[in-house]
Amino acid sequence: MLVVGLTGGIGAGKSTLAALLIERGAHVIDADALGRDALRPGRPAWHSVVDQFGDEILVMNSMEIDRARLASVVFADRAKLAALNAIVHPVILGAVAEHLEKLRNSDATVVLDAALIIETGLDDVVDVLVVVTAPEGDRRRRLIRERNMSIDDIAARMAAQTRTEELVARADIVASNAGSLEDLAREADRVWAELEKRAGR
């Protein structure tokens, strides 16, 4: 099994590259999906988050956590972000460990798609670190268009993440998402060929 960490700043196109790598044969573990699952109503982390942040983070007349509202609260206050991470990150890391254990004796190329690989120490468990980059202007436009995020929200999210330059300095492979989807598909081909080589295939 080859364990690949896939990361990049918000809006860089990390999940798009992950989807392209699935098409080429990768098994992807989506940390964001694991985080959403951890916050489903009734889960232990859900109780902890609601206790910490109050009922105002719930969708009106629902037990669902309003992720956009929660994000606006925590990304405006580093202490609150740290409190949320202290609840959710151990659950995500445990789920990642379970997925990896199931695949331990396989010859799979497992891609861990996670925004905070370095911040959570997951870079210590991956064999290869792939970082996706994109011009900051492209990232901002993408987040406004696709996620309907405000300029202030985008700035807060970017400020909370490791700078792209630092990610690139730690990367084994850098994939550029500075062009079209076809350009990114070519980058996916290049990345996949390098991963296959590292896996000895």
Side-chain angles (χ1 to χ4, degrees):
M1 177 176 71
L2 183 74
V3 182
V4 181
L6 173 60
T7 195
I10 187 168
K14 176 176 58 64
S15 296
T16 306
L17 181 60
L20 291 166
L21 292 175
I22 289 172
E23 292 175 5
R24 286 150 181 78
H27 181 104
V28 170
I29 300 172
D30 183 343
D32 196 45
L34 296 176
R36 286 194 297 272
D37 189 58
L39 292 180
R40 279 171 38 203
R43 294 292 177 93
W46 178 91
H47 287 288
S48 299
V49 169
V50 174
D51 286 347
Q52 178 80 35
F53 297 101
D55 292 346
E56 60 269 21
I57 64 160
L58 297 177
V59 175
M60 189 77 72
N61 301 320
S62 165
M63 301 297 282
E64 296 282 343
I65 289 173
D66 184 331
R67 286 169 58 84
R69 191 174 302 163
L70 178 60
S72 70
V73 169
V74 301
F75 284 104
D77 185 324
R78 284 185 178 264
K80 289 179 179 175
L81 179 59
L84 176 65
N85 287 344
I87 296 166
V88 178
H89 283 174
V91 181
I92 294 173
L93 294 174
V96 167
E98 281 181 29
H99 281 283
L100 290 176
E101 190 55 40
K102 287 175 187 168
L103 295 162
R104 181 69 56 198
N105 296 318
S106 73
D107 64 353
T109 295
V110 183
V111 174
L112 174 55
D113 173 2
L116 302 178
I117 284 181
I118 289 172
E119 295 87 339
T120 54
L122 280 168
D123 54 322
D124 290 336
V125 303
V126 303
D127 301 307
V128 185
L129 182 62
V130 178
V131 171
V132 187
T133 65
E136 197 166 296
D138 289 357
R139 292 168 59 195
R140 291 179 190 278
R141 283 188 289 275
R142 205 172 284 149
L143 292 166
I144 292 167
R145 184 179 67 243
E146 296 174 9
R147 300 199 208 174
N148 202 28
M149 290 176 66
S150 72
I151 296 294
D152 288 345
D153 283 344
I154 292 168
R157 298 283 191 103
M158 287 184 171
Q161 293 185 332
T162 300
R163 291 168 59 245
T164 298
E165 294 81 2
E166 188 177 334
L167 293 177
V168 167
R170 304 278 285 273
D172 297 299
I173 302 171
V174 177
S176 170
N177 186 19
S180 65
L181 185 57
E182 290 76 17
D183 292 330
L184 187 60
R186 281 191 286 274
E187 282 288 84
D189 286 336
R190 181 180 66 81
V191 169
W192 185 249
E194 177 65 26
L195 295 178
E196 289 284 271
K197 189 164 73 178
R198 287 175 183 247
R201 290 193 281 268

